[in-house]
Amino acid sequence: MYLLYNILLVLLTVVLSPYILVKVLTVAKYRGGITQKLGRVSKGVLQHLTDGPRPIWVACRLRRRGDGGPSAHPRAEEAHPGRKLLLSTVTVTGNLTARQRVPEADAVFYFPFDYPWIVRRVIRRINPALVLIAETELWPNFFRELRRQGIPSALINGRISPPPSGTT
């Protein structure tokens, strides 16, 4: 299944690359964090990895109203005192929102694209003790690499099925 997923991922990237390139060159928000999404771990993140215990990585999809990330920190800090909190987001808006709404995060960065060689590199560089996924961000290669490296992960604040009718 992973092989099929990765073949489709690469094929879609190749087919859509002209469109993606135009968007990256013409729309500023698509350039935001592109090097981090391609696997570069910034100095701002690396400086928090040099001393102390391995960090906790919270991957979330924050919007302006700030879903997910902030509520994860108190529980993580309580369960794992003294560990750095690294927060990753997917979008420019989510990244800016995280910096504003989660000041207790030691570093905020962009979540890597789900290509095996990219997630492997980022996970090795960050070497988290635990990864918490807020919302329903399901990235097969990312989870597979966490499992390969023996790093526990948990889905928090996620929903896999639609809510019951009549609820919001």
Side-chain angles (χ1 to χ4, degrees):
M1 203 60 169
Y2 287 105
L3 180 62
L4 178 61
Y5 171 74
N6 286 316
I7 289 170
L8 287 173
L9 192 60
V10 170
L11 285 175
L12 280 172
T13 301
V14 170
V15 169
L16 294 174
S17 62
Y19 174 78
I20 294 167
L21 183 60
V22 167
K23 284 294 194 184
V24 167
L25 293 174
T26 60
V27 182
K29 75 176 187 175
Y30 290 108
R31 286 189 297 274
I34 193 72
T35 60
Q36 291 178 25
K37 292 174 184 180
L38 290 170
R40 184 181 72 79
V41 180
S42 72
K43 290 179 184 174
V45 173
L46 290 175
Q47 75 182 10
H48 294 288
L49 305 177
T50 57
D51 59 340
R54 293 165 52 202
I56 297 172
W57 177 352
V58 178
C60 59
R61 192 179 56 173
L62 290 169
R63 298 179 196 95
R64 282 198 175 95
R65 69 178 186 274
D67 343 272
S71 64
H73 179 263
R75 291 186 199 113
E77 179 63 31
E78 190 176 292
H80 302 278
R83 294 193 186 268
K84 304 279 185 168
L85 175 70
L86 306 181
L87 197 68
S88 68
T89 64
V90 176
T91 65
V92 171
T93 300
N95 200 276
L96 294 172
T97 302
R99 292 174 194 280
Q100 294 168 354
R101 294 191 40 105
V102 193
E104 64 272 17
D106 294 291
V108 177
F109 63 102
Y110 288 93
F111 192 84
F113 290 135
D114 196 43
Y115 295 95
W117 58 91
I118 293 175
V119 295
R120 184 175 307 117
R121 180 186 194 311
V122 173
I123 292 168
R124 280 187 186 151
R125 294 291 305 268
I126 292 175
N127 192 25
L130 171 68
V131 175
L132 301 174
I133 308 292
E135 294 297 314
T136 312
E137 297 290 323
L138 302 176
W139 301 105
N141 289 317
F142 182 73
F143 284 111
R144 185 179 195 197
E145 189 60 31
L146 288 174
R147 188 175 61 243
R148 268 185 75 254
Q149 294 188 32
I151 298 169
S153 62
L155 177 65
I156 57 172
N157 197 31
R159 180 178 64 210
I160 295 181
S161 61
S165 60
T167 63
T168 57

